[in-house]
Amino acid sequence: MRHEGINWLAIIVAAIIPMVLGGLWYSNVLFAKQWMAAIGKTEEEIRSSVKNPAALYAATFVASLVAAYVIDNFVYWTNTTSFLRGMKIGAMLSIGVFAVGAYQTVMFEFRRRELYTINTAYNVVCIVLMGGLLAVWR
């Protein structure tokens, strides 16, 4: 089913959600300390390892654009037009696909479950909000 009439402005705004939420999620307001402990790094180590923050944020934004475009297609294909139903689409995609795949990776890489929980919860919240926004902004 071809998706006609894509609202690119809605996709761009939806792609901003992970940027804004990430700034809050990984700040001292929410989970910065727990996240740094889970990856075993200090704030200074993280800052010194980022050589080109602009490139890092640009790549992250492009990835968010791709995610928003894919979510928008699922919202369109299911003829979803309410915020709550859009959130449900986002929840099903993020939990059923992303969270499960990430958990399998964490298990086989023997990573800390705290890191999985912080990162996966962030991604689930982002995708749920993106789904809601894209459902109502046709």
Side-chain angles (χ1 to χ4, degrees), residues 18-36 39 46 115-123 126:
M19 309 301 289
V20 173
L21 185 60
L24 180 63
W25 198 269
Y26 294 99
S27 74
N28 287 325
V29 173
L30 291 177
F31 303 109
K33 290 181 179 127
Q34 298 91 327
W35 177 73
M36 286 186 281
I39 64 172
I46 293 168
L115 182 59
Y116 166 80
T117 302
I118 293 167
N119 289 338
T120 301
Y122 159 74
N123 282 292
C126 286

Side-chain angles (χ1 to χ4, degrees), residues 11 18 62-73 93 127 130 134:
I11 289 173
V62 169
S64 295
L65 281 172
V66 172
Y69 177 79
V70 170
I71 296 163
D72 189 61
N73 276 277
L93 287 170
I127 294 169
M130 291 165 79
L134 291 166

Side-chain angles (χ1 to χ4, degrees), residues 94 103-104 128:
S94 60
Y103 189 70
Q104 292 167 338
V128 165

Side-chain angles (χ1 to χ4, degrees), residues 59-136:
T60 302
F61 184 68
V62 169
S64 295
L65 281 172
V66 172
Y69 177 79
V70 170
I71 296 163
D72 189 61
N73 276 277
F74 276 92
V75 166
Y76 175 80
W77 295 332
T78 58
N79 197 29
T80 300
T81 57
S82 78
F83 192 80
L84 287 176
R85 284 201 39 135
M87 289 176 65
K88 183 177 179 181
I89 296 290
M92 292 180 74
L93 287 170
S94 60
I95 294 168
V97 177
F98 174 79
V100 171
Y103 189 70
Q104 292 167 338
T105 300
V106 165
M107 299 253 315
F108 282 97
E109 291 179 354
F110 306 103
R111 294 197 181 197
R112 297 185 64 183
R113 290 201 176 126
E114 295 86 0
L115 182 59
Y116 166 80
T117 302
I118 293 167
N119 289 338
T120 301
Y122 159 74
N123 282 292
V124 168
V125 171
C126 286
I127 294 169
V128 165
L129 291 174
M130 291 165 79
L133 173 75
L134 291 166
V136 295

Side-chain angles (χ1 to χ4, degrees), residues 35 39 41-58 60:
W35 177 73
I39 64 172
K41 294 200 180 284
T42 65
E43 188 173 346
E44 294 77 30
E45 290 173 313
I46 293 168
R47 288 188 194 283
S48 68
S49 64
V50 177
K51 304 299 180 210
N52 187 349
L56 183 63
Y57 285 108
T60 302

